[in-house]
Amino acid sequence: MKYLDEYRDRAAVQALGQRIRDIVTRPWTVMEVCGGQTHSILKNGLEEMLPAQVQLVHGPGCPVCVTPLEMIDRAIATARRPEVIFCSFGDMRRVPGSSASLLEAKADGADVRIVYSPLDALKLASAHPGREIVFFAVGFETTAPANAQAVWQAAQDGVTNFAILAAHVLVPPAMAAILGSADCRVQAFLAPGHVCTVMGYSEYEDLVKRY
C-alpha cells in the first residue's frame, strides 16, 4: 500500500492527537460508521490518545453486522440446493441464520466456497457450466460497483449459470435510523471515506438539514 509509512508516522500521529486535545472545548460523542475504522482505531490504540471529552461509539460496522436474518436464511437455503455452488466472502461463513450458518451448511454437504472477488465466482461459473454459481453480494455502496461489474461481465461473456444474491445496504439510511432514535447521543460521525469515493458526499446533505 502506498503511503503506509506516512500512516505509521509516530510524530504525525502525536501532533494530530495534540491538535485534537487543543481544540476540544466540550464533550463530543462521535460514531465511526465503518467496521474497518473501528478495527484500525482499536488495533492502533487511537481511542486512548483522544481527550476524555471525546467519546467514540462504534457504529453500524461492516455489512456482515447489518445483513438481515432473513437474508442469511435465504443464502443458506440457496446454498443447500444440490445444483448450486454458493460463493461468499469468508466473513459471512459464521454469521448465524435462524437455525444454521453457511459454515454449518457446508459441514452438512452444501458446496460453499470462499472467494475474494465476485469475478472469482464468475470464473467458477465458466469452469463449471453444469452448476449454478451464486455469489452472495453483501455490502455497502463500496461493493456494489464490483458486483455490478461481475453481472455485466457475465452477460458480455455469455455465461448463463452465474447469479448474485443481492444484499446491498446504504450508509445514509443507517445513519438516519441512528439519528432518529429518541435516545440518540451521537453528535458527529466519522464517515466512511471509501463510501464517499463511490457516492460523493451529497448523500449526507439531507441528513445535515434534518438533524
Side-chain angles (χ1 to χ4, degrees):
M1 176 180 173
K2 193 176 181 182
Y3 303 128
L4 183 59
D5 291 340
E6 287 84 349
Y7 277 118
R8 297 184 181 277
D9 186 326
R10 177 188 294 268
V13 172
Q14 290 178 335
L16 287 170
Q18 186 59 53
R19 176 63 175 153
I20 293 172
R21 289 189 288 273
D22 290 341
I23 65 175
V24 171
T25 58
R26 66 178 180 84
W28 281 92
T29 302
V30 181
M31 175 178 284
E32 78 270 11
V33 174
C34 175
Q37 292 171 331
T38 302
H39 177 79
S40 294
I41 288 168
L42 296 177
K43 177 182 177 182
N44 295 291
L46 298 181
E47 193 166 8
E48 298 173 8
M49 295 184 63
L50 295 173
Q53 300 99 312
V54 178
Q55 179 184 6
L56 290 181
V57 177
H58 309 315
C62 65
V64 174
C65 306
V66 297
T67 300
L69 181 67
E70 58 267 25
M71 185 59 72
I72 303 296
D73 289 341
R74 188 177 301 178
I76 293 168
T78 303
R80 283 176 167 159
R81 292 171 57 177
E83 75 276 16
V84 167
I85 297 176
F86 195 82
C87 300
S88 172
F89 295 139
D91 55 2
M92 295 302 300
R93 290 184 306 161
R94 298 181 183 274
V95 181
S98 296
S99 58
S101 66
L102 283 170
L103 189 62
E104 290 169 322
K106 179 178 176 64
D108 291 338
D111 195 345
V112 178
R113 305 191 188 186
I114 296 174
V115 295
Y116 297 95
S117 162
L119 293 176
D120 291 342
L122 181 56
K123 291 178 182 177
L124 279 174
S126 298
H128 298 84
R131 303 286 297 278
E132 293 294 325
I133 312 301
V134 180
F135 175 69
F136 199 8
V138 173
F140 286 109
E141 292 90 335
T142 46
T143 63
N147 295 334
Q149 180 192 14
V151 173
W152 178 86
Q153 191 64 53
Q156 293 295 111
D157 296 344
V159 178
T160 59
N161 62 324
F162 173 77
I164 66 171
L165 177 59
H168 295 118
V169 290
L170 299 173
V171 168
M175 294 170 66
I178 293 167
L179 291 169
S181 173
D183 56 354
C184 177
R185 298 186 295 109
V186 175
Q187 299 162 304
F189 285 98
L190 181 60
H194 52 331
V195 172
C196 295
T197 300
V198 175
M199 300 296 293
Y201 61 82
S202 61
E203 295 288 316
Y204 301 100
E205 291 178 352
D206 182 59
L207 289 175
V208 174
K209 291 176 182 178
R210 289 164 58 191
Y211 298 103

